[in-house]
Amino acid sequence: MKVSMSLILITLWALVTIAKAYDPSPLQDFCVAIDDPKNGVFVNGKFCKDPKQAKAEDFFSSGLNQAGITNNKVKSNVTTVNVDQIPGLNTLGISLVRIDYAPYGQNPPHTHPRATEILVLVEGTLYVGFVSSNQDNNRLFAKVLNPGDVFVFPIGMIHFQVNIGKTPAVAFAGLSSQNAGVITIADTVFGSTPPINPDILAQAFQLDVNVVKDLEAKFKN
């Protein structure tokens, strides 16, 4: 059976459209998320508060003026403001984080499966970057940022930020999803539950299996 080129193109267009259908645009002014479906209406795949019952508090959060605690193994803290903190963000396709870095602290290599990130440095000096996909030969795109500088991390790319200064650093970042998700590479690979077979990781990372076992012990949840 012959298939016309126009049909193939239409099918490909449909697949691309479906693949990009995360965080869809709302079909009404807003869709404030609600936990109890008995008190809500079903809109855009989520249970939402009756719009007539929405209030200013549904679109408000405070506290980003306060520094996060950086007394941890990576010496950084991410304060997230997404749909869990502001239910009015539901279906709006956007969220925000504040990132605090102790001197020489880092936001270790990670990826956001559902969002592009745009970061602005407010205080301190950061070395930031992302690595492109295998198809692009895993190129590193990196810059040193000073206050007022902005850097973009494309959706799905592994990226990082490191405070290379002797003083604390502060950055804010916007993400193109109400719930961007985060996958920290080291925690995910070496700290999964149950753990990945050490022999698999030893071959993948070209490490001695005992080194892998030691890493899994360190990252064990």
Side-chain angles (χ1 to χ4, degrees), residues 106-156:
Q106 65 173 269
N107 191 7
H110 63 283
T111 178
H112 302 293
R114 296 181 290 276
T116 290
E117 176 180 349
I118 182 167
L119 178 145
V120 57
L121 181 62
V122 176
E123 181 181 321
T125 307
L126 294 181
Y127 174 65
V128 308
F130 69 88
V131 179
S132 64
S133 64
N134 295 359
Q135 289 76 15
D136 191 55
N137 297 317
N138 305 122
R139 290 190 294 156
L140 172 64
F141 296 79
K143 290 285 288 184
V144 172
L145 303 186
N146 296 300
D149 290 344
V150 176
F151 199 81
V152 174
F153 306 103
I155 185 171

Side-chain angles (χ1 to χ4, degrees), residues 86-212:
I86 302 181
L89 284 175
N90 188 40
T91 76
L92 298 185
I94 194 169
S95 57
L96 176 71
V97 297
R98 169 181 172 145
I99 313 171
D100 290 278
Y101 314 81
Y104 308 111
Q106 65 173 269
N107 191 7
H110 63 283
T111 178
H112 302 293
R114 296 181 290 276
T116 290
E117 176 180 349
I118 182 167
L119 178 145
V120 57
L121 181 62
V122 176
E123 181 181 321
T125 307
L126 294 181
Y127 174 65
V128 308
F130 69 88
V131 179
S132 64
S133 64
N134 295 359
Q135 289 76 15
D136 191 55
N137 297 317
N138 305 122
R139 290 190 294 156
L140 172 64
F141 296 79
K143 290 285 288 184
V144 172
L145 303 186
N146 296 300
D149 290 344
V150 176
F151 199 81
V152 174
F153 306 103
I155 185 171
M157 298 292 100
I158 294 174
H159 59 283
F160 62 88
Q161 304 109 34
V162 182
N163 182 1
I164 58 176
K166 297 180 180 180
T167 59
V170 181
F172 290 87
L175 298 117
S176 62
S177 172
Q178 68 182 39
N179 187 3
V182 61
I183 301 171
T184 305
I185 307 306
D187 290 342
T188 301
V189 173
F190 297 108
S192 67
T193 304
I196 299 173
N197 187 314
D199 293 325
I200 295 174
L201 296 180
Q203 183 175 2
F205 287 91
Q206 297 295 289
L207 296 172
D208 184 274
V209 69
N210 290 319
V211 173
V212 173

